[in-house]
Amino acid sequence: MTTDTVQYDPLAEPTAHRVAMLNRDDRLFHIILAQQFDCELIETMCRLAEMIRNIAESKQGNRFLRSLLSHKRAMLYFIQPSTRTFLSFAASCQILGVPYNEVRNPSTSSEIKGETEEDTVHVLSQYFDLIIMRHPVEGFAERMAYKLNSMPRPIPILNGGSGKDQHPTQAMLDMYTLLRNFEPRLADRAHPTLSGNPFAGKTIAFVGDLKRGRTVRSLSYLLAQYAGMRLIFVSPPELGMGEDIIEYLDRHGVHHEKSEDLNEVIRSCDAVYMTRLQDEYDQAGESSKIDYYKYSLTVEMVEATKDSLVIMHPLPRRQELDVRLDTDRRAKYWAQVRNGMWMRAAMIAYIFNVDATIIDHYKTSYTA
Ligand code: CP
């Protein structure tokens, strides 16, 4: 006799249910999916990042921030390479006084003796209060979040990049960068509250490997929260945006179009988001046949753009972004790197419920 057993897969649940399982008491508990953020939460996090940034300008402010979470410990479990995400999370832990440890090479852990990655994460959850995780497999961080929910010591997991799928903390720092440019009042100490829709009427181009670029996928989910925007996807036909994202944008009424001509598109853009070829996900070197650098951004191309164009790239870059643009006033990718540290500090502060303390301190010390 055979019995058919169907394995329960939480990732097959509707997104709203998955989001509910990642939250607790109407707040984020884990940060795994960009779909966990609505406009209000995006702007809350951006304002919090801005306040932390301002508070950290003084020695006294730094002392206050470092006192907030010195009783918590974080593990940076990064088994896929990273410079920015790893270091900005490390720096944001330091800003908030969170001692942290790291596993970057599983060959130095007991995984080399056959311990599964699942067991490794369970072990980490016994020593630390937060796991910040980068993993090459889509869904691994999410599955571990659900597993930890049912363990005696559930702790939050922050997704620092999950395969080709999502990079929600990068997308949040990208939103912070866009808002700092589209809504200058965000950085105005006297006006920490936004009003209206800063994305209305804006045109944003995503360029490059949109199929396997997890940053553009997560950023699409966040931008879809805002109405009245135009997204243009510029990519080789083989590396176009995934159908799941296209369907999501359609459901949210976001205007989107495709192009292969960056030179033409760039003239009408308010922001352009360049991306690297994600050839680490090639099966058999297939992307070597693609003329990827036909979709590069050069100094000559930005001569005919809006003066206020926001040039972004999650980095690392290759030849798709001309190094001569580095000193152009429109280049915001170095600011993006720094914004990541403040946004990630805001996320850790929020997860550990010290956001209200920071807001109170800011209001008392920095506003009239
Ligand atoms: N943008 C980004 O995720 O960079 P790293 O891979 O260096 O973390």
Side-chain angles (χ1 to χ4, degrees):
M1 192 177 87
T2 57
T3 25
D4 288 334
T5 49
V6 180
Q7 189 93 25
Y8 170 67
D9 181 7
L11 273 63
E13 294 284 343
T15 307
H17 189 191
R18 288 158 66 197
V19 167
M21 291 193 288
L22 297 170
N23 291 355
R24 191 168 288 189
D25 301 329
D26 285 332
R27 281 177 69 93
L28 302 175
F29 184 72
H30 307 280
I31 297 180
I32 302 291
L33 305 172
Q35 300 95 307
Q36 288 176 264
F37 294 87
D38 59 13
C39 292
E40 193 183 337
L41 195 48
I42 291 167
E43 290 166 24
T44 295
M45 289 294 184
C46 290
R47 283 201 301 273
L48 190 58
E50 197 63 32
M51 288 180 208
I52 294 171
R53 175 183 217 131
N54 285 330
I55 294 169
E57 279 175 11
S58 73
K59 197 168 179 177
Q60 187 192 13
N62 267 291
R63 250 198 314 270
F64 160 76
L65 290 168
R66 273 202 309 276
S67 73
L68 291 172
L69 292 171
S70 55
H71 58 301
K72 299 289 185 186
R73 283 188 296 279
M75 163 49 64
L76 274 65
Y77 182 68
F78 271 60
I79 60 165
Q80 201 185 28
S82 168
T83 299
R84 278 144 291 268
T85 312
F86 178 85
L87 290 176
S88 59
F89 266 122
S92 59
C93 284
Q94 286 164 340
I95 289 166
L96 296 167
V98 181
Y100 68 89
N101 216 319
E102 64 183 69
V103 171
R104 303 196 74 175
N105 180 355
S107 72
T108 63
S109 81
S110 282
E111 283 177 30
I112 203 76
K113 294 182 252 173
E115 186 158 54
T116 63
E117 290 180 334
E118 286 80 359
D119 279 0
T120 300
V121 174
H122 286 151
V123 170
L124 299 178
S125 74
Q126 301 305 304
Y127 300 137
F128 296 93
D129 302 295
L130 169 69
I131 300 175
I132 303 161
M133 184 184 294
R134 171 169 287 192
H135 198 280
V137 175
E138 292 98 81
F140 180 78
E142 186 176 354
R143 285 182 203 285
M144 289 315 303
Y146 300 141
K147 278 202 163 179
L148 289 191
N149 280 352
S150 59
M151 299 295 282
R153 191 171 187 275
I155 62 164
I157 294 183
L158 302 193
N159 178 3
S162 49
K164 302 187 286 293
D165 185 30
Q166 287 244 11
H167 197 350
T169 68
Q170 172 74 43
M172 283 297 290
L173 78 86
D174 294 336
M175 291 301 279
Y176 180 39
T177 304
L178 286 167
L179 279 172
R180 281 195 117 221
N181 285 280
F182 291 167
E183 180 50 281
R185 280 186 307 157
L186 180 70
D188 182 343
R189 289 181 178 197
H191 298 96
T193 311
L194 304 183
S195 60
N197 173 1
F199 293 95
K202 295 286 195 272
T203 297
I204 302 176
F206 287 166
V207 185
D209 189 344
L210 310 183
K211 184 178 175 187
R212 305 176 295 185
R214 56 194 174 197
T215 65
V216 285
R217 291 176 53 78
S218 288
L219 187 52
S220 299
Y221 285 123
L222 297 183
L223 287 170
Q225 304 303 313
Y226 291 87
M229 204 184 15
R230 178 171 164 241
L231 292 181
I232 308 179
F233 299 135
V234 185
S235 70
E238 304 89 331
L239 299 175
M241 185 59 92
E243 275 311 309
D244 56 336
I245 299 290
I246 298 293
E247 277 169 27
Y248 188 90
L249 296 173
D250 287 341
R251 258 188 288 129
H252 285 75
V254 179
H255 176 94
H256 59 88
E257 50 199 84
K258 276 191 212 173
S259 172
E260 284 189 49
D261 187 351
L262 180 57
N263 209 11
E264 175 58 33
V265 157
I266 195 81
R267 296 163 205 265
S268 65
C269 282
D270 297 286
V272 58
Y273 194 101
M274 303 298 297
T275 66
R276 170 181 70 84
L277 179 66
Q278 308 281 316
D279 48 6
E280 64 269 42
Y281 297 114
D282 276 6
Q283 302 290 322
E286 59 273 20
S287 60
S288 60
K289 301 186 189 83
I290 295 172
D291 184 11
Y292 194 76
Y293 299 111
K294 176 180 151 192
Y295 305 87
S296 298
L297 190 65
T298 64
V299 164
E300 291 73 26
M301 285 161 78
V302 302
E303 275 167 15
T305 66
K306 292 183 184 176
D307 195 51
S308 56
L309 177 71
V310 179
I311 303 172
M312 297 172 71
H313 194 309
L315 304 176
R317 69 169 157 201
R318 294 182 189 159
Q319 297 96 290
E320 69 279 356
L321 183 59
D322 191 337
V323 291
R324 292 176 298 157
L325 283 166
D326 286 6
T327 50
D328 191 290
R329 67 193 174 287
R330 288 161 287 202
K332 303 296 178 188
Y333 34 93
W334 303 120
Q336 243 176 306
V337 172
R338 188 156 174 83
N339 291 343
M341 179 174 73
W342 304 120
M343 173 51 73
R344 287 173 171 131
M347 290 174 146
I348 293 172
Y350 183 95
I351 287 292
F352 285 130
N353 280 300
V354 292
D355 47 316
T357 311
I358 292 171
I359 293 167
D360 285 348
H361 179 90
Y362 180 84
K363 281 185 180 159
T364 311
S365 311
Y366 295 90
T367 53

